[in-house]
Amino acid sequence: MKHYKYLIIGGGLTGDAATCGIRELDAEGSIGLIGMETAPPYMRPNLSKGLWKGRPIEKIWRKTEERGELNLGRKVTQLDPQKKNVQDDKGEEYTYDKLLLATGGSPIHLPFGAGDIIYFRNFEDYQHLRAMADAKEYFVVIGGGFIGSEIAAALTMVGKKVTMIFLEDAIGGLVFPSDLAHFLNDYYREKGVEVIPNDSVASVTREGERLIVRTGSGRAIETDGVVAGIGIRPNVELAQAAGLKLENGIVVNERLETSLPDIYAAGDVVNFFHAALGKRMRVEHEDNAIFMGKLAGQNMAGASETYTRTPMFYSDLFEFGYEAVGETSSKMEMVSDWQEQFKKGVIYYLEGGRVRGVVLWNIWKQVDNARALMLEPGPFKAEDLVGRIKGE
């Protein structure tokens, strides 16, 4: 049995950030981290961005082992909050003084194609897809959202033939205004991507070395590999079995404490109070994972800080890139302020006259201004926002 003053379940960015937060206040207390992946913590966004553009693999590691002991390739199967005891799938037992649940999320799977679809999420998935891309030519990407659009761009940039299939009208259709999303359809097609909107994937079957993807509309596409990015579900099973309060994730207070003493939670798995939006939600992005994990670590080590950050997120789509904050849903009222149509501009998302989200399209170093705007009560009309945030 191993005992740690601080035990972290989850080997992602959140767990790593928590070790940094702990060490800021406690230089000596023992830290143990249990992760399901065999790889140590790394900068996850590189899997669909930087590594495809030539970033060296050695640059993505977080050096977590310098701050604590890593127990990798293990899944925690039991948590007893009363005994402060944890067991993993290899029979190892651990005890703790303070516990952090940073269990993240697992990709949503389709009910077919088992073993033949890469659900792109972790470093092993990147290695698998990269090896296939080095040897094969044709790929189908399922999903036109955050991960799907990045992976389609990444594969195309390394010379592969890509077909995208997604349910929406256009790439990023759940987030962007219709005109921008349809511009992206045409832009991806210009880059050589076959874009199939308004369609589903009905089956994926293997025929020899090749895969056949059949769509809901009856198309059959022969391909070498299939990648899916259709969302994740929070990994709450352990928390549920231990009796923690759940509601679309693990419920935490403003100090990231769960409903049971000495147990904290942070990252993708957490339902927290978003101070700027004034409501509870989950956020599945790097910025939130890092800053929330760090604050959780600080509080485990004796601080009493509240999490008030407005997390940002970003994406790269070929030559285009964007940064964003807040709620960004194409169902909201949207105001587009283009400096150059579809090339450079700001999209504001409004609800009840308040700015609830901002997308900075090819505009940089303005995230803090976007955050500040979300805190203003308004009410704002469209004309009030034109020219409000400008790029350099």
Side-chain angles (χ1 to χ4, degrees), residues 233-310:
R233 291 194 180 97
N235 292 329
V236 298
E237 298 79 12
L238 192 66
Q240 186 171 26
L244 273 69
K245 184 179 179 183
L246 303 178
E247 187 180 324
N248 180 31
I250 302 171
V251 175
V252 295
N253 65 15
E254 67 276 11
R255 293 181 299 280
L256 308 180
E257 298 164 320
T258 68
S259 56
L260 291 177
D262 296 326
I263 300 180
Y264 296 74
D268 291 1
V269 75
V270 158
N271 176 337
F272 70 102
F273 184 76
H274 193 300
L277 292 174
K279 65 179 184 179
R280 301 192 72 88
M281 63 192 304
R282 273 193 322 108
V283 172
E284 299 169 0
H285 291 292
E286 171 197 19
D287 184 78
N288 188 60
I290 291 172
F291 283 87
M292 188 179 272
K294 186 176 180 182
L295 188 133
Q298 291 168 336
N299 286 351
M300 290 167 75
S304 187
E305 300 292 327
T306 58
Y307 189 68
T308 58
R309 186 175 181 80
T310 301

Side-chain angles (χ1 to χ4, degrees), residues 96-112:
Y96 62 86
D97 295 337
K98 304 278 186 181
L99 178 70
L100 175 66
L101 297 176
T103 47
S106 294
I108 295 169
H109 283 225
L110 295 163
F112 47 75

Side-chain angles (χ1 to χ4, degrees), residues 217-240:
S217 66
R219 293 185 60 162
I221 301 159
E222 193 174 327
T223 188
D224 295 314
V226 179
V227 192
I230 52 176
I232 67 168
R233 291 194 180 97
N235 292 329
V236 298
E237 298 79 12
L238 192 66
Q240 186 171 26

Side-chain angles (χ1 to χ4, degrees), residues 126-352:
Y126 165 76
Q127 289 180 302
H128 185 187
L129 183 59
R130 195 66 195 243
M132 286 181 69
D134 286 345
K136 306 286 187 179
E137 199 61 32
Y138 296 93
F139 291 86
V140 168
V141 175
I142 305 171
F146 199 75
I147 292 296
S149 58
E150 289 190 350
I151 289 299
L155 285 166
T156 304
M157 285 190 294
V158 294
K160 303 299 125 176
K161 299 289 186 186
V162 177
T163 300
M164 288 181 80
I165 306 169
F166 47 87
L167 298 170
E168 298 79 36
D169 286 350
I171 294 166
L174 297 177
V175 172
F176 302 129
S178 178
D179 57 355
L180 174 58
H182 281 87
F183 163 80
L184 285 176
N185 280 4
D186 294 337
Y187 179 67
Y188 271 59
R189 287 176 178 132
E190 286 172 16
K191 292 291 185 180
V193 179
E194 184 181 7
V195 178
I196 305 177
N198 298 308
D199 210 345
S200 60
V201 173
S203 68
V204 176
T205 53
R206 181 169 287 281
E207 293 187 11
E209 284 290 298
R210 306 278 276 173
L211 297 171
I212 308 296
V213 177
R214 288 184 170 82
T215 73
S217 66
R219 293 185 60 162
I221 301 159
E222 193 174 327
T223 188
D224 295 314
V226 179
V227 192
I230 52 176
I232 67 168
R233 291 194 180 97
N235 292 329
V236 298
E237 298 79 12
L238 192 66
Q240 186 171 26
L244 273 69
K245 184 179 179 183
L246 303 178
E247 187 180 324
N248 180 31
I250 302 171
V251 175
V252 295
N253 65 15
E254 67 276 11
R255 293 181 299 280
L256 308 180
E257 298 164 320
T258 68
S259 56
L260 291 177
D262 296 326
I263 300 180
Y264 296 74
D268 291 1
V269 75
V270 158
N271 176 337
F272 70 102
F273 184 76
H274 193 300
L277 292 174
K279 65 179 184 179
R280 301 192 72 88
M281 63 192 304
R282 273 193 322 108
V283 172
E284 299 169 0
H285 291 292
E286 171 197 19
D287 184 78
N288 188 60
I290 291 172
F291 283 87
M292 188 179 272
K294 186 176 180 182
L295 188 133
Q298 291 168 336
N299 286 351
M300 290 167 75
S304 187
E305 300 292 327
T306 58
Y307 189 68
T308 58
R309 186 175 181 80
T310 301
M312 63 85 71
F313 59 97
Y314 65 100
S315 186
D316 298 324
L317 310 173
F318 293 106
E319 288 89 1
F320 291 115
Y322 66 87
E323 296 178 326
V325 292
E327 275 188 290
T328 54
S329 166
S330 57
K331 293 179 181 175
M332 300 170 73
E333 179 190 349
M334 293 174 284
V335 177
S336 299
D337 180 18
W338 293 109
Q339 294 177 33
E340 190 180 347
Q341 187 81 0
F342 307 138
K343 304 287 176 67
K344 186 176 183 180
V346 182
I347 303 154
Y348 302 93
Y349 296 75
L350 289 92
E351 196 174 68

Side-chain angles (χ1 to χ4, degrees), residues 34-36 71-76 88-90 92 94:
I34 307 172
M36 288 197 294
N71 303 277
L72 301 176
R74 295 166 179 265
K75 181 178 181 178
V76 174
D88 70 24
D89 56 354
K90 297 188 178 175
E92 187 80 51
Y94 313 79

